[in-house]
Amino acid sequence: MSVVAAYLYRNGKKIEQVSLDTPIHCRTDRSEFVWIGLHEPSEPELRTLQENYGLHPLAVEDALKAHQLPKVDVYGEQLFIVAITAHLNDDQITYGETSFFVGENFIISVRHGSARTYSALRGQLEAAPGLLGNGVDYVLHAILDFIVDGYLPIVEDVEEDVLGMEQRAFDAFLNRDEVTRIFKLRRELMRFQRVLGPMAEVCSKLVHLNVPSLDPEVSPYFSDVLDHVRRVDGTVQTLREVLTSVFEVSHLLEQQRQGEITRQLAAWAAILAVPTAIAGIYGMNFENMPELKTHYGYFVVLGLILALCGALFIRFKRAHWL
């Protein structure tokens, strides 16, 4: 059954469970409304709600198909809102979708793909009848705020991973798997930003909309959600830049270490070239080589080799090549 919960509320208190098949006629004041929560409903169920609550057919089609970007559509005195939920799972951000049909005395939420249910949120609101009694727009704010709050653990977990990568980049070489992970996280953050932008537009529109289903006094609440979305978006942008910097720093440090190794190899090659050259000269075996008959020639040449090699070693040591 796709119906998670469906109740009639009056003055912030749950009165009775309602059926999808029977339309509920609420009082004209905002203190009485119906809140129906659905999870991946079938088409007949939504068509029944369309008939009983006068939902716009285009909005119903969007709610059935899902895979929409966040948006706000106004159909007469009703609102159709699409919000995107997100969850981080093994360096991959998975997305869900929740659609809202908002009338003056009803709110219908249609959830697709999200692992986070709104049951706990409904319980919190029912425990605070003073807020719940203000009407459906406050329920809408609470759900949107709940969805946006779900973005924070994502950026916090990614931030911890990025800081760890940054430290490892300074301590040692980043291996192939770590470099691949950097680009994977960066790609996931880019996709996440493509969700945060439209979500910010949704909240901005709700702040300025003037429709009967929204109380003007609820605008500051939607403005607060907008601030949260922008804060998350700013953090994501910073994390993308840090990931790029981590890769660049790792690449520069790797080049520096390779340069140091190259200088060390060049220095030792120069030192070893001295005995190699001298030994090569005396290994030519010409008959007319007077040095071969010198009594102390071996010791003189050996001392010369050691002196030259020692001088080169000191010179390279002072130049920090060794």
Side-chain angles (χ1 to χ4, degrees):
M1 187 65 174
S2 64
V3 181
V4 178
Y7 292 100
L8 172 68
Y9 293 87
R10 183 181 301 132
N11 297 322
K13 297 181 180 180
K14 184 165 59 177
I15 301 302
E16 61 182 0
Q17 189 172 6
V18 299
S19 171
L20 303 187
D21 299 325
T22 305
I24 304 298
H25 301 286
C26 300
R27 297 185 316 203
T28 55
D29 62 279
R30 306 175 62 85
S31 63
E32 185 172 288
F33 63 90
V34 173
W35 180 4
I36 299 174
L38 306 175
H39 179 240
E40 298 183 355
S42 63
E43 182 173 356
E45 289 173 328
L46 274 184
R47 294 301 180 188
T48 299
L49 289 175
Q50 176 186 349
E51 181 179 351
N52 291 337
Y53 292 92
L55 307 181
H56 198 280
L58 293 179
V60 173
E61 289 292 334
D62 288 342
L64 282 172
K65 293 179 180 178
H67 304 295
Q68 304 285 325
L69 284 175
K71 65 176 182 177
V72 176
D73 291 332
V74 180
Y75 297 105
E77 297 182 353
Q78 294 184 11
L79 291 178
F80 177 70
I81 302 162
V82 176
I84 299 298
T85 58
H87 176 71
L88 183 64
N89 184 21
D90 294 333
D91 292 342
Q92 183 175 4
I93 302 176
T94 56
Y95 299 98
E97 180 179 318
T98 300
S99 303
F100 302 95
F101 299 90
V102 183
E104 192 169 2
N105 294 105
F106 68 86
I107 179 169
I108 303 170
S109 63
V110 180
R111 181 165 54 91
H112 291 275
S114 175
R116 299 178 71 209
T117 68
Y118 305 137
S119 300
L121 175 64
R122 185 186 286 262
Q124 293 175 6
L125 291 176
E126 290 174 351
L131 182 62
L132 192 60
N134 290 321
V136 295
D137 37 12
Y138 288 85
V139 175
L140 174 64
H141 157 262
I143 300 177
L144 288 177
D145 190 54
F146 179 79
I147 291 174
V148 173
D149 285 345
Y151 298 161
L152 296 177
I154 296 175
V155 295
E156 289 172 354
D157 290 344
V158 173
E159 187 175 24
E160 289 297 322
D161 289 340
V162 170
L163 292 176
M165 290 180 183
E166 188 177 36
Q167 186 60 46
R168 289 194 296 275
F170 285 105
D171 294 340
F173 292 106
L174 291 179
N175 56 41
R176 182 181 181 87
D177 291 339
E178 289 174 322
V179 172
T180 302
R181 189 164 180 245
I182 286 176
F183 282 95
K184 182 179 179 181
L185 283 175
R186 190 170 181 270
R187 183 169 59 250
E188 290 297 323
L189 291 177
M190 290 176 63
R191 291 174 179 170
F192 194 25
Q193 278 193 305
R194 290 201 290 267
V195 170
L196 293 174
M199 279 296 292
E201 293 179 6
V202 166
C203 297
S204 179
K205 288 181 179 179
L206 291 175
V207 171
H208 301 96
L209 272 180
N210 183 17
V211 291
S213 55
L214 294 183
D215 186 352
E217 294 183 1
V218 82
S219 294
Y221 292 87
F222 290 122
S223 181
D224 181 67
V225 178
L226 175 60
D227 290 340
H228 292 174
V229 176
R230 287 174 174 171
R231 192 177 303 119
V232 172
D233 185 56
T235 304
V236 170
Q237 180 62 36
T238 301
L239 289 175
R240 283 184 56 191
E241 294 172 356
V242 172
L243 281 171
T244 302
S245 299
V246 167
F247 175 75
E248 292 176 350
V249 167
S250 175
H251 184 64
L252 290 174
L253 289 176
E254 184 175 355
Q255 287 182 330
Q256 182 183 14
R257 292 172 186 136
Q258 290 177 348
E260 291 176 355
I261 294 173
T262 302
R263 288 196 298 270
Q264 290 176 358
L265 293 175
W268 284 114
I271 292 173
L272 294 175
V274 173
T276 302
I278 295 175
I281 293 173
Y282 282 94
M284 291 187 292
N285 295 322
F286 289 113
E287 291 185 4
N288 188 18
M289 292 184 68
E291 297 87 351
L292 295 177
K293 298 180 180 180
T294 303
H295 184 68
Y296 296 102
Y298 171 76
F299 301 101
V300 171
V301 172
L302 189 61
L304 179 62
I305 291 175
L306 291 174
L308 291 175
C309 289
L312 287 174
F313 180 83
I314 294 173
R315 178 69 181 85
F316 288 129
K317 196 71 173 178
R318 289 177 177 175
H320 301 291
W321 279 42
L322 291 174

